[in-house]
Amino acid sequence: MRSITKATGLSAVTAVALMTALSACGSDSLNTGSTGSGSPTANVTTGGADSSLAAMVPADIKAKGTLTVGSDGSYAPNEYLEGGTKLVGMDVDLFNAALAKLGLKANWQNANFDTLILGVTSGKYDAAASSFTINAERMKQVNMISYFTAGSQWVTAKGNPNKVDPDNACGLSVGVQKGTVQVDDLTARSKKCTAAGKEGITQVVEQDQSKVTADLISGKVQAMVADSPVALYAVKQTGDKLEAVGKIYDSAPYGIVVAKDQTDFAKAIAAAFTAMDKDGSYKQILAKWGQESGAITTFEVNPSVS
């Protein structure tokens, strides 16, 4: 691995404290009966079960009543750990509200992002909600229900001392979370660099996004790339330490994940989100987390994506 950039002047203690604040997590901690009511607080009206929607739920799912849902609690503000154990965030609120429409509840399980789809396909989880970008490869393994849209965003140190340009990133050290679409993006960009006779991009891959952000603040990497809501939230939370660089690109829908043989359940979830959009609770939840710009109006099972 090539040498890293010089430190930005932030102390190691401060970097660790920030990583904690950005919800660094362990694996497989249990969060039972989560309501997603963590900060920021807001009055969100989700309503109770809808009999017509509940009738769409397959009998085996309905019999469970409370579903085991996997998520990676290192991706604030979409999903993160409050008090070290309780999963909260935009995705938690949204999926809890959708399940309530169906007469169901969630038993949230925190786990590493790159294990979640396998957890669904193996039956460990009934569903997963963790900012999954919908793509063809994932839809080969599971059903995905669209509910939000986001793109990729680069972030660097405040003032951009390393002159980071996402379109000319050859030779940079860039932080990224394991298992994300941004890993593929950086790999493709690096291949273009080496094909042109330039130095490739050094990826510093971390299990948790919160650690990626801490790496950038401490100067271990010169930039990071993550989903736009998460990247911009990190900029906001770190005050004058970071800034976004370049534009949001490759926007695509997020999808709730359920097993490939649970198409009827997937359709019920899509219908629940449609009902939430109609009654206003969908946009209320997005507004609570400052993510209104990612709202969609059509909720589909396995939508066409490029």
Side-chain angles (χ1 to χ4, degrees):
M1 181 177 292
R2 74 176 190 83
S3 61
I4 58 177
T5 186
K6 61 183 179 181
T8 61
L10 187 73
S11 71
V13 171
T14 304
V16 170
L18 175 68
M19 185 174 72
T20 301
L22 288 172
S23 306
C25 64
S27 62
D28 294 328
S29 61
L30 179 64
N31 173 217
T32 60
S34 170
T35 62
S37 57
S39 298
T41 59
N43 293 322
V44 178
T45 304
T46 58
D50 181 304
S51 58
S52 61
L53 293 173
M56 298 177 65
V57 178
D60 60 331
I61 296 294
K62 186 177 296 185
K64 291 184 177 183
T66 298
L67 307 185
T68 303
V69 182
S71 192
D72 163 34
S74 76
Y75 220 53
N78 295 0
E79 41 268 334
Y80 64 99
L81 291 175
E82 184 178 71
T85 57
K86 182 180 181 181
L87 274 162
V88 298
M90 179 191 74
D91 283 346
V92 177
D93 279 356
L94 285 172
F95 197 40
N96 277 340
L99 290 177
K101 292 282 188 189
L102 301 174
L104 302 169
K105 295 181 180 180
N107 195 1
W108 291 87
Q109 293 275 350
N110 179 48
N112 293 331
F113 179 77
D114 61 334
T115 68
L116 292 172
I117 287 181
L118 177 60
V120 172
T121 59
S122 68
K124 180 178 181 179
Y125 309 126
D126 298 300
S130 198
S131 305
F132 287 100
T133 299
I134 297 178
N135 60 36
E137 186 61 32
R138 286 172 175 164
M139 286 188 289
K140 290 177 183 178
Q141 305 171 68
V142 291
N143 284 308
M144 304 190 79
I145 306 97
S146 59
Y147 66 94
F148 187 77
T149 188
S152 292
Q153 174 71 60
W154 285 57
V155 175
T156 191
K158 187 73 173 181
N160 197 3
N162 295 295
K163 308 301 180 186
V164 172
D165 177 0
D167 295 324
N168 186 22
C170 302
L172 292 181
S173 176
V174 182
V176 66
Q177 186 185 22
K178 183 179 180 180
T180 62
V181 296
Q182 285 82 21
V183 171
D184 296 333
D185 176 36
L186 288 178
T187 300
R189 288 172 185 264
S190 187
K191 287 181 178 178
K192 288 183 179 180
C193 292
T194 55
K198 300 179 181 179
E199 186 177 1
I201 297 171
T202 299
Q203 292 187 41
V204 178
V205 183
E206 301 285 7
Q207 190 69 64
D208 297 336
Q209 175 59 39
S210 48
K211 183 61 167 62
V212 176
T213 304
D215 285 350
L216 177 57
I217 291 173
S218 69
K220 182 178 179 180
V221 296
Q222 295 162 301
M224 74 176 192
V225 59
D227 285 1
S228 50
V230 174
L232 296 175
Y233 182 79
V235 171
K236 180 180 178 181
Q237 292 298 104
T238 55
D240 62 352
K241 299 294 189 295
L242 304 177
E243 68 177 54
V245 59
K247 297 180 179 180
I248 296 171
Y249 62 95
D250 287 348
S251 292
Y254 279 172
I256 302 292
V257 171
V258 300
K260 202 65 177 173
D261 62 355
Q262 286 288 357
T263 301
D264 288 342
F265 182 38
K267 291 177 180 177
I269 293 170
F273 274 106
T274 300
M276 288 165 56
D277 188 36
K278 289 181 179 178
D279 69 19
S281 58
Y282 171 69
K283 288 187 175 66
Q284 276 187 300
I285 292 170
L286 295 186
K288 169 184 172 180
W289 295 99
Q291 301 295 334
E292 302 96 314
S293 63
I296 62 175
T297 56
T298 303
F299 306 88
E300 301 177 87
V301 178
N302 300 331
S304 298
V305 293
S306 57

